[in-house]
Amino acid sequence: MVDALRALANPMRLQMLLWLRDPIRNFAGMETIADPLEVGVCVSHIQAKAGLAQSTVSAYMAELQRAGLVLATRVGKWTHYKRDEQRIAQFVAALGQTL
Amino acid sequence: MVDALRALANPMRLQMLLWLRDPIRNFAGMETIADPLEVGVCVSHIQAKAGLAQSTVSAYMAELQRAGLVLATRVGKWTHYKRDEQRIAQFVAALGQTL
DNA sequence: CCGACATTTCGAAGAATCCCGATTTGTCAT
DNA sequence: ATGACAAATCGGGATTCTTCGAAATGTCGG
């Protein structure tokens, strides 16, 4: 709960999670090795969009994952991240209840 | 939006906001100068409950206020804080929409 | 096995947060 | 006016966050 709030309290991390709502629109024109809707978006593409260092993006995605907001899938050398819609909805519902 | 998330990302500030959901139960036995449901709870009482320094509690409540989650009312020497239910509901709704 | 490339992990500088005690400000009663 | 008390502000030390570049790890093609 607090972990998710902390993860979302950073503008760039929040933005990244929002980009993943519509991967096709937000990562258009990037060569895709797998279906974005199925496995998600790879770190390189998120990095290109964010304009941060590669190591920073990696750490941020790992933090979103630890917070239970995204799921990671490795396809070859590429790690793909997609939203964990169930956990996100669960978080919003829980916040609405307790808050 | 991010301001509210940042304010809530601290366990004690979150706790304080939750205490204010039921002031009568959570601040029972404390001498009240005004109706807790009407004007809220004064800083001294929140401080006693939290066990933090007075200056810390003052700063934390101010931060919750800047984030639009609580309202402040001064009654005599006492500043009372109560939840801004409308803004809180608005925040939860907005989060559910954008997130 | 080796080079190339994606990602993670490590180490570090600067900024922000957390939390405190001390001081200042605001307000009331005398 | 002044003393007492609540709250806000100030100044600072410890910790965490933000972000980077460099190095290590994982994975594929040849």
Side-chain angles (χ1 to χ4, degrees):
Chain A
M1 180 72 164
V2 174
D3 286 338
L5 286 167
R6 294 185 72 79
L8 295 173
N10 175 286
M12 187 54 85
R13 280 194 301 266
L14 178 58
Q15 181 63 82
M16 286 166 169
L17 195 65
L18 297 185
W19 282 335
L20 291 179
R21 286 213 322 179
D22 190 349
I24 294 173
R25 181 175 306 279
N26 291 312
F27 299 91
M30 294 179 178
E31 297 176 25
T32 163
I33 192 70
D35 182 12
L37 299 173
E38 190 68 26
V39 297
V41 180
C42 74
V43 176
S44 326
H45 292 172
I46 301 172
Q47 192 226 323
K49 184 98 176 175
L52 294 177
Q54 188 272 322
S55 59
T56 302
V57 174
S58 177
Y60 279 11
M61 294 315 296
E63 192 167 346
L64 285 172
Q65 187 189 13
R66 272 194 307 277
L69 298 168
V70 299
L71 293 164
T73 313
R74 184 138 200 178
V75 179
K77 348 182 205 180
W78 296 271
T79 302
H80 292 71
Y81 287 97
K82 73 168 175 181
R83 293 161 54 94
D84 189 337
E85 297 294 356
Q86 197 163 352
R87 297 285 303 273
I88 291 173
Q90 214 172 294
F91 162 71
V92 171
L95 198 70
Q97 283 297 309
T98 69
L99 204 67
Chain B
M1 180 71 164
V2 173
D3 286 339
L5 285 168
R6 295 185 70 81
L8 295 173
N10 176 285
M12 188 54 85
R13 279 193 302 264
L14 178 58
Q15 181 64 82
M16 288 166 167
L17 195 66
L18 298 185
W19 282 334
L20 292 178
R21 285 214 320 178
D22 190 351
I24 294 173
R25 180 175 305 279
N26 291 310
F27 298 91
M30 293 177 177
E31 297 174 27
T32 164
I33 193 70
D35 181 12
L37 299 173
E38 191 68 27
V39 296
V41 179
C42 75
V43 175
S44 326
H45 293 172
I46 301 172
Q47 193 224 324
K49 183 100 176 174
L52 294 178
Q54 185 269 321
S55 58
T56 303
V57 174
S58 177
Y60 278 12
M61 294 314 296
E63 192 168 346
L64 286 172
Q65 187 189 13
R66 273 193 306 277
L69 298 167
V70 299
L71 293 165
T73 315
R74 184 137 201 179
V75 180
K77 352 184 202 179
W78 295 272
T79 303
H80 293 72
Y81 287 98
K82 73 169 175 180
R83 292 161 54 94
D84 189 338
E85 297 293 356
Q86 196 162 353
R87 296 284 305 272
I88 291 173
Q90 215 171 294
F91 162 71
V92 172
L95 198 70
Q97 284 296 310
T98 68
L99 205 66

